[in-house]
Structure formats: structure tokens, C-alpha cells
Amino acid sequence: MSLAKEALQFLRSTRSGVLSTLSTKFAGYPFGSVAPFVLDHRGQPIILISTIAEHTQNIIANPKVSLLVFAGDEDMQASGRLTLMGEAKIIDKEDADLRARYLRYLPQAASYFEMHDFSFYRIEIAQARYIAGFGKMGWISGDAMHPAELTENSPLAVQETGIIEHMNADHVHSLIAYSQHFHHINATHAEMLGIDADGFDAKVTIVDGKTQTLRFNFEQPIQDAQSARMALVSMSKAAKV
């Protein structure tokens, strides 16, 4: 697997990071803040931020930002981490598909959509620095991390909500079986959160009532509902559902 592909898989497994902007209050200094995010279908981070927030004012003055995402292991120096450098650009908060995707991953943000001062910003990645662990690291261009086949207007982006509704209504048993087979987790319930070209995420409930999000990678990239179905059927056969 290429370093770029591995970096994208790592990014897909994360939901928050440290956003650094260039301070308008203290010229020349970077300003860091915690930033939950969801990836769009091009693999670009989407953040929902308030106009009055310090980082938003910084972005308005200078859209160049970096986003540091990392694994939550205790030894952070030995764990994977990824720094994304790019420009943050405001996008339509009323995009129904993107809004639905964002809220599946971050439902606690629902009330923010009723506030007029919150907006979506997309971080368009120009360069990335990925450190997979000791001795394995490198710079990656934004184009290399997000190949041309990952497009914002792909059929999958439009069909995603329908796929998820179908899986969560009719195939919960398959999601539970995937959790056991691919992650060795005995789940009592599972629901798909999002599906993309490279795989999907599911929130599973385990015996003690705790929940966690699991990432499932496809063997081959998908483009639409039909190829998604083929990939999911293949996984079901592997899990012997």
C-alpha cells in the first residue's frame, strides 16, 4: 500500500484534530483549536464553525490552515499522525446530503444548524505530512491523497443516505457479523454511519452498552450503490452471514 493510500485510510479513521490558523490578534503567531470534522466524498475535512469564533475570524483574514489528526494511543510519538495543510473555504450549509452525513457522525451538532452564525468550511488539502510510526514518514501532495476518481458529485454522494437507510433497516445482522469477523467484536447492535469509495463506518453497541465506531475497508474502491452492494455482499460471504 502506498503511503498516500495509508494516510487516507488513517484520516478516514479519525473525527477530530487540532486546527491551526494564523492569528489576526497576534500577527505572525499560529492559533490552535480543537476541531471535530467529517470527511466529504473527496476525502476533504468539513468543519462546522461559528463566525464569532477566533479561528473563523483568522480564516476569513487568511484561509491557509493546518489540521493535525492523530491516534489516541498513550505513546503519541510512536503512533500514527497526519498534518494536513490547505485552504479553508466556506461552503453551503444547506447541502442536504452533506448535512445528513455530518449529523450521522456528529449528532450533537444538530442545534448548530439552527444558529445563523455557524457555517461549513471545507479544508482543501494541498500537502500532507504523514508519520505512520518510527522510520515510516513522508510528504504527500493533496492530489495523491485524493485521486481523481474521488469526486464531490459522485453518484455515491447522492446515494449514500439511501444505502445507509437500507442497511440499517434490513441488514443490521450483517453489520453485526462484519464486526465479529473483521474486528473480533461481539456487538448487540450496529448501524452504518457513512459509506465512501474506500469503505464504511459503523457504530456498534457491545454487551455492556458502550458504543464505538468501527472502520471497514473495501478490497476495491466503489463508485455507486451497485458497486457498494457487490462489496457488501462479498463481505457477507466472508463473514458467512
Side-chain angles (χ1 to χ4, degrees), residues 18-179:
V18 177
L19 176 70
S20 293
T21 55
L22 291 169
S23 177
T24 56
K25 186 176 180 65
F26 301 102
Y29 286 91
F31 177 81
S33 52
V34 174
F37 65 87
V38 169
L39 297 184
D40 66 11
H41 279 271
R42 290 175 56 222
Q44 309 277 20
I46 304 296
I47 55 177
L48 181 66
I49 52 179
S50 169
T51 303
I52 63 174
E54 192 82 15
H55 47 231
T56 310
Q57 291 300 306
N58 294 341
I59 287 170
I60 291 171
N62 188 332
K64 288 183 169 58
V65 303
S66 73
L67 182 69
L68 169 65
V69 298
F70 48 87
D73 296 339
E74 292 184 7
D75 187 357
M76 293 178 62
Q77 293 284 58
S79 303
R81 51 206 186 272
L82 177 66
T83 299
L84 307 172
M85 300 168 63
E87 293 194 9
K89 297 184 178 180
I90 193 168
I91 57 175
D92 184 8
K93 189 174 73 171
E94 302 308 316
D95 182 325
D97 293 324
L98 182 57
R99 175 171 172 161
R101 180 174 175 81
Y102 190 93
L103 288 176
R104 283 193 298 268
Y105 284 97
L106 299 171
Q108 65 272 23
S111 61
Y112 297 160
F113 286 90
E114 308 307 320
M115 301 179 188
H116 296 295
D117 68 330
F118 274 82
S119 299
F120 274 142
Y121 281 76
R122 173 185 288 116
I123 299 175
E124 298 186 351
I125 302 169
Q127 295 289 335
R129 175 73 172 176
Y130 181 50
I131 302 176
F134 288 125
K136 188 177 183 180
M137 62 194 72
W139 285 98
I140 306 164
S141 72
D143 289 342
M145 271 194 67
H146 309 290
E149 59 266 22
L150 298 180
T151 62
E152 183 180 355
N153 298 315
S154 68
L156 188 61
V158 177
Q159 297 166 348
E160 179 183 27
T161 298
I163 295 169
I164 290 170
E165 289 176 349
H166 172 67
M167 289 297 296
N168 291 341
D170 300 331
H171 296 286
V172 172
H173 63 291
S174 296
L175 297 172
I176 291 173
Y178 300 157
S179 302

Side-chain angles (χ1 to χ4, degrees), residues 167-177 179-180 185-192 202-214 216:
M167 289 297 296
N168 291 341
D170 300 331
H171 296 286
V172 172
H173 63 291
S174 296
L175 297 172
I176 291 173
S179 302
Q180 171 62 44
I185 289 178
N186 293 317
T188 59
H189 184 70
E191 61 179 298
M192 185 180 283
K203 183 173 73 173
V204 302
T205 304
I206 53 181
V207 176
D208 60 4
K210 294 181 180 179
T211 62
Q212 65 182 108
T213 300
L214 301 178
F216 298 86

